[in-house]
Amino acid sequence: MRLTRAGEYGVRCILYLAACPRGAVVKKKEVALNMEIPDQFLSKIAQQLAVAGIVEIIQGSKGGLRLARDAKDVSLLDVVEAITGEIFLNDCVSDPNSCRNQPTCSVHRVWSKARMQLRETLGLATFAGLVEEGHCLQKKDDRA
Amino acid sequence: MRLTRAGEYGVRCILYLAACPRGAVVKKKEVALNMEIPDQFLSKIAQQLAVAGIVEIIQGSKGGLRLARDAKDVSLLDVVEAITGEIFLNDCVSDPNSCRNQPTCSVHRVWSKARMQLRETLGLATFAGLVEEGHCLQKKDDRA
DNA sequence: GATAAATAAGATGCTTTTTGTCTTATATCC
DNA sequence: GGATATAAGACAAAAAGCATCTTATTTATC
């Protein structure tokens, strides 16, 4: 019941990009270095974020990463789910076969509620907000 | 970000016990059979539940499992955490070293909130309530 | 006390997921 | 065409999850 390391890296990546000047292309290596993400692993993560429409990957010698949309339109939920898939908490909710009688199952209902709350809380946290409030892996040369 | 199978089994086990007459000793095999839990695996799970003070394990020829406290005093949270350990959602919260500046970290705060909500929701769901409302792995011979 | 019926406890093994790395290919700028 | 990026697929080590096997221990009953 934990966020995977890949998920955490994804969050760090977007956190970094969101703190950069808007629209700037940032080298993958720079992100990896500053946010303490294994360089090659970040490639995989970035690709997932690109598929989800969160970042844009620019190839070539001046290539790198760029937010595909404004930081205020990217939530923690977006990033986490882009990496780890949709959050479900328990199988009962995601796999109909594992629960014989879903809508009337009391246990099921509790998990469903918990899931909704979790997704809502993560969904309300935008990266614009997160950057503004400050975080613990702040860029070293950040002088906002 | 999912409940493990062991956690699910733990919930099923308590669900079954909570539906039995109060104070009754139920054979492990009966629980395993009715709730579709691998028999030996249930032993391990029951032991964890016993350590947590949720069930009492009675040895010997008339042995089995029994709730150690009233079903209304056992929550989904109790059972899940007895099996999988305390819920944290992300490492940032549980491992101080992974987050340099916890209290002022915006990301950290969101996860903390999400964690609190999740634990509260699961904590409010008692097994007395869950049994009363009905669930999807109802005992076959249940005629309440 | 012996026997039967239960659980305990430790070792072991298989599978899946996670977390990467290595290598080769491809794209872009100059 | 060379330099500098990322892409993509294969591969592999480590950890977690999910059990099972075996041997021991406990308790009720005869």
Side-chain angles (χ1 to χ4, degrees), chain A residues 80-129:
Chain A
V80 168
E81 292 200 332
I83 306 294
T84 66
E86 201 174 332
I87 291 174
F88 279 106
L89 295 184
N90 71 332
D91 284 331
C92 189
V93 177
S94 66
D95 175 17
N97 293 330
S98 71
C99 189
R100 296 184 197 149
N101 195 11
Q102 292 168 53
T104 61
C105 174
S106 55
V107 179
H108 181 273
R109 278 201 300 274
V110 176
W111 283 110
S112 285
K113 180 181 175 187
R115 171 177 183 249
M116 277 180 49
Q117 286 181 325
L118 174 57
R119 295 185 79 237
E120 186 182 347
T121 295
L122 296 182
L124 288 173
T126 72
F127 278 84

Side-chain angles (χ1 to χ4, degrees), chain A residues 1-3 36 88-89 91 94 99-101 104-107 109-110 114 117-118 121 130 133-134 136-137, chain B residues 1-3 36 76 88-89 91 94 99-101 104-106 109 114 117-118 121 130 133-134 136-137:
Chain A
M1 206 97 107
R2 267 164 192 273
L3 182 65
E36 298 172 12
F88 279 106
L89 295 184
D91 284 331
S94 66
C99 189
R100 296 184 197 149
N101 195 11
T104 61
C105 174
S106 55
V107 179
R109 278 201 300 274
V110 176
Q117 286 181 325
L118 174 57
T121 295
L130 293 172
E133 292 172 36
C136 56
L137 272 174
Chain B
M1 207 96 109
R2 265 164 195 272
L3 182 64
E36 298 174 11
L76 213 46
F88 278 107
L89 296 184
D91 284 329
S94 66
C99 188
R100 296 184 198 148
N101 194 12
T104 61
C105 174
S106 56
R109 278 201 300 275
Q117 286 181 326
L118 173 57
T121 296
L130 293 172
E133 291 172 37
C136 55
L137 272 174

Side-chain angles (χ1 to χ4, degrees), chain B residues 61-138:
Chain B
S61 69
K62 297 249 169 161
L65 305 175
R66 172 164 60 186
L67 280 188
R69 37 190 222 253
D70 199 282
K72 73 172 171 21
D73 298 321
V74 181
S75 72
L76 213 46
L77 182 69
D78 294 333
V79 172
V80 169
E81 292 200 332
I83 305 294
T84 66
E86 201 174 332
I87 292 175
F88 278 107
L89 296 184
N90 71 331
D91 284 329
C92 189
V93 177
S94 66
D95 175 16
N97 294 329
S98 72
C99 188
R100 296 184 198 148
N101 194 12
Q102 291 169 53
T104 61
C105 174
S106 56
V107 179
H108 180 274
R109 278 201 300 275
V110 176
W111 282 110
S112 284
K113 180 182 176 187
R115 171 177 182 251
M116 277 179 48
Q117 286 181 326
L118 173 57
R119 295 184 80 237
E120 186 182 346
T121 296
L122 296 181
L124 288 173
T126 74
F127 278 84
L130 293 172
V131 168
E132 195 179 353
E133 291 172 37
H135 55 84
C136 55
L137 272 174
Q138 215 71 254

Side-chain angles (χ1 to χ4, degrees), chain A residues 1 11 13 21-22 25 41 43 50 53 61 72 78 84 115 123 128 135:
Chain A
M1 206 97 107
V11 171
C13 174
R22 213 180 135 167
V25 174
F41 199 14
S43 290
S61 69
K72 73 171 171 21
D78 295 333
T84 66
R115 171 177 183 249
H135 55 85

Side-chain angles (χ1 to χ4, degrees), chain A residues 15-81:
Chain A
L15 218 37
Y16 190 87
L17 294 181
C20 290
R22 213 180 135 167
V25 174
V26 182
K27 270 182 293 184
K28 199 186 59 176
K29 231 168 215 168
E30 180 186 337
V31 178
L33 197 66
N34 280 283
M35 301 312 258
E36 298 172 12
I37 307 171
D39 184 46
Q40 307 246 43
F41 199 14
L42 179 54
S43 290
K44 310 294 178 182
I45 290 165
Q47 281 161 40
Q48 290 180 275
L49 292 170
V51 168
I54 296 171
V55 302
E56 194 183 342
I57 299 177
I58 292 125
Q59 289 205 3
S61 69
K62 297 247 169 164
L65 305 175
R66 173 164 61 185
L67 281 187
R69 37 191 221 251
D70 199 283
K72 73 171 171 21
D73 297 322
V74 181
S75 72
L76 214 45
L77 182 69
D78 295 333
V79 172
V80 168
E81 292 200 332

